[in-house]
Amino acid sequence: MPLRDALMARRSVRKFSPRRFRLDHPEDLQLLSDLLWAAWGYISLKRRSAPSSHNWQELELRLLLPEGVFVYDAVDIRLVQQSEADLRALSGVQEYPATAPLNIVLVAEKTLVTGKTPEGVMETIFTDSGFICQNIYLFCASEGLATVTRAWIDRPALAAALGLSDTQAVTLVQTVGWKSEE
């Protein structure tokens, strides 16, 4: 799909079909792989699909699926399972994240952003998170997927459930799936 068409098709959707990403299905795995590469994959050895201030690359993607929590390993282009717990309900204050097919949690390692005040660190990681979220929006528009980015999150509860350290921060969560026919 041409970029102009993807921009025109981009929407925030909050009603998702019950259809799930099947991790044992090659087509769904390829779709997830393409989505994650578009969001925050490597284009070259040091360059990623979304910009990062000073190339700090302080963000990682954690996927919350019914099957558990996974980390996107962009170097080896694979998912690494961290837990079998279904934490989707913790990824937002609204009701729909709990049953949505996928919630992508953006987690920042704050110590990688140097030479800034604490406020400057947070501004940087939220800006870089926005670039990734926009890539996800455009990918979803081009592939007929539904998505919405959310900041309304109980960050302390989600961070605790993910086992994050004090130097890590949840920035945004993006829900992805198929639009409900309702």
Side-chain angles (χ1 to χ4, degrees):
M1 171 183 289
L3 178 60
R4 181 180 178 83
D5 293 345
L7 289 166
M8 296 292 288
R10 187 210 49 77
R11 299 276 183 276
S12 292
V13 175
R14 292 169 184 83
K15 290 186 180 181
F16 294 87
S17 159
R19 179 179 173 189
R20 302 279 182 242
F21 289 98
R22 296 165 298 179
L23 298 181
D24 61 345
H25 193 275
E27 288 178 7
D28 281 2
L29 279 176
Q30 187 61 56
L31 184 60
L32 270 175
S33 179
D34 293 345
L35 165 67
L36 296 169
W37 180 86
W40 191 228
Y42 280 99
I43 293 172
S44 66
L45 215 46
K46 294 184 179 183
R47 196 168 142 241
R48 298 186 88 154
S49 59
S52 170
S53 181
H54 297 274
N55 202 27
W56 280 315
Q57 299 186 22
E58 75 281 4
L59 292 160
E60 72 175 12
L61 306 181
R62 305 237 182 149
L63 283 67
L64 307 185
L65 293 156
E67 297 82 5
V69 178
F70 297 81
V71 175
Y72 173 53
D73 176 350
V75 173
D76 292 327
I77 312 172
R78 65 188 182 113
L79 295 178
V80 178
Q81 190 161 14
Q82 283 194 310
S83 165
E84 291 182 3
D86 183 354
L87 301 181
R88 292 175 299 156
L90 292 174
S91 71
V93 178
Q94 306 91 332
E95 290 182 21
Y96 65 88
T99 59
L102 168 64
N103 290 293
I104 301 172
V105 181
L106 281 71
V107 175
E109 175 53 57
K110 297 182 284 186
T111 61
L112 295 176
V113 179
T114 59
K116 292 188 174 270
T117 65
E119 295 81 14
V121 169
M122 295 309 291
E123 289 169 357
T124 297
I125 64 177
F126 272 98
T127 299
D128 290 350
S129 294
F131 297 136
I132 292 170
C133 290
Q134 186 64 11
N135 281 7
I136 294 171
Y137 264 109
L138 293 174
F139 178 86
C140 288
S142 75
E143 295 297 320
L145 291 170
T147 191
V148 64
T149 300
R150 295 175 291 99
W152 194 15
I153 311 157
D154 183 344
R155 286 184 177 82
L158 183 55
L162 291 172
L164 301 185
S165 72
D166 291 341
T167 65
Q168 294 176 301
V170 171
T171 59
L172 300 170
V173 177
Q174 191 146 355
T175 303
V176 177
W178 290 267
K179 187 177 180 181
S180 174
E181 299 300 320
E182 297 177 1

